[in-house]
Amino acid sequence: MEPVPRPWRQPLAKELIEPYFLKLQEFVGTERLRNVVYPPQGRVFAALEQTPFDQVKVVLLGQDPYHGEGQAHGLCFSVMPGVRKPPSLKVIFKELHADIGCAIPWHGCLLSWAQAGVLMLNAALTVRAGKPASHQKRGWERFTDAVIRAVSDRLEPAVFLLWGRHAQSKKTLIDGDRHAILEATHPSPLARGGFLGCRHFSKTNAILARWGKSPIDWSIPDTVEVP
């Protein structure tokens, strides 16, 4: 497994030497020898790579990487250009358009959000192809909880977007006095439209403005080059 990106190594230093993390690395390595694992090698820590520790303005929490061929590339909810947009992502784009008027893009790659300061973190960072939740409870949750705590412990505030019960279960890791927490129903169509109307995109930018920070450009460019 590739190393954790350099800007995150100091905030996560204690985790990187814990026995569970070493076992997790061994597990993922063995899985790759025996099975197809997503995201591909080199993109496991894409969320941390694209949003360095000191540039995090917003934290968006997902649960598991997509387990279909060509979908996952290390950012929660996002898929590679040319891959069919998953149902939850379609709902996100519908709310994005209704909230701030952004055009609904032809593709589902959210790389521009990550590069703008949105940490797009799944609870588990790998999955076996065609086997959802197959890499849960192997140590990833402890590692990503540490990522959330590291951001929470910063003096610099961030906006945490907690969509759905799983994300909301992480609320206890966040210092609500220092940071802003916005909660909504998961964007899954199974939630019967509960996500629509949350206005988290405009609310996030309003909070950032109050803090004297530049807003997130939520618009998705037509052209994207995934590293």
Side-chain angles (χ1 to χ4, degrees), residues 77 87-92 163-164 184-191 193-196:
F77 294 106
S88 293
L89 188 54
K90 291 181 180 180
V91 174
I92 291 170
W163 297 348
T185 303
H186 193 278
S188 168
L190 299 177
F195 178 79
L196 299 175

Side-chain angles (χ1 to χ4, degrees), residues 85-106:
K85 287 181 279 190
S88 293
L89 188 54
K90 291 181 180 180
V91 174
I92 291 170
F93 285 156
K94 185 175 181 179
E95 174 61 21
L96 179 66
H97 177 71
D99 184 12
I100 57 177
C102 288
I104 296 176
W106 65 267

Side-chain angles (χ1 to χ4, degrees), residues 4-185:
V4 170
R6 188 174 300 276
W8 287 89
R9 291 179 195 170
Q10 182 176 356
L12 299 173
K14 292 181 180 179
E15 300 300 313
L16 302 184
I17 59 173
E18 286 285 338
Y20 88 87
F21 189 72
L22 302 178
K23 290 180 180 178
L24 174 61
Q25 289 178 300
E26 293 176 0
F27 167 73
V28 174
T30 300
E31 279 283 276
R32 287 200 188 277
L33 290 174
R34 298 174 179 174
N35 306 282
V36 175
V37 172
Y38 299 130
Q41 184 74 27
R43 289 182 174 153
V44 173
F45 296 115
L48 304 183
E49 184 73 43
Q50 296 301 323
T51 314
F53 179 67
D54 61 355
Q55 296 180 27
V56 176
K57 294 180 178 179
V58 180
V59 180
L60 177 56
L61 301 178
Q63 188 166 359
D64 228 22
Y66 295 122
H67 55 86
E69 183 177 0
Q71 291 181 308
H73 65 107
L75 307 179
C76 69
F77 294 106
S78 181
V79 293
M80 295 285 283
V83 175
R84 185 176 181 179
K85 287 181 279 190
S88 293
L89 188 54
K90 291 181 180 180
V91 174
I92 291 170
F93 285 156
K94 185 175 181 179
E95 174 61 21
L96 179 66
H97 177 71
D99 184 12
I100 57 177
C102 288
I104 296 176
W106 65 267
H107 62 84
C109 182
L110 305 179
L111 179 62
S112 63
W113 291 2
Q115 294 174 338
V118 183
L119 178 62
M120 308 191 63
L121 186 69
N122 276 315
L125 298 188
T126 56
V127 68
R128 188 187 300 180
K131 299 286 185 180
S134 52
H135 287 191
Q136 291 182 9
K137 299 181 180 179
R138 293 286 186 167
W140 277 130
E141 291 86 353
R142 178 171 171 180
F143 175 78
T144 53
D145 281 358
V147 172
I148 295 168
R149 281 195 298 268
V151 176
S152 177
D153 289 344
R154 295 187 322 176
L155 292 178
E156 197 73 16
V159 181
F160 286 80
L161 303 181
L162 308 183
W163 297 348
R165 284 180 292 179
H166 182 270
Q168 290 160 12
S169 72
K170 306 296 183 179
K171 188 175 180 179
T172 56
L173 304 173
I174 305 164
D175 183 346
D177 294 327
R178 182 181 301 163
H179 305 278
I181 300 173
L182 299 179
E183 300 180 62
T185 303

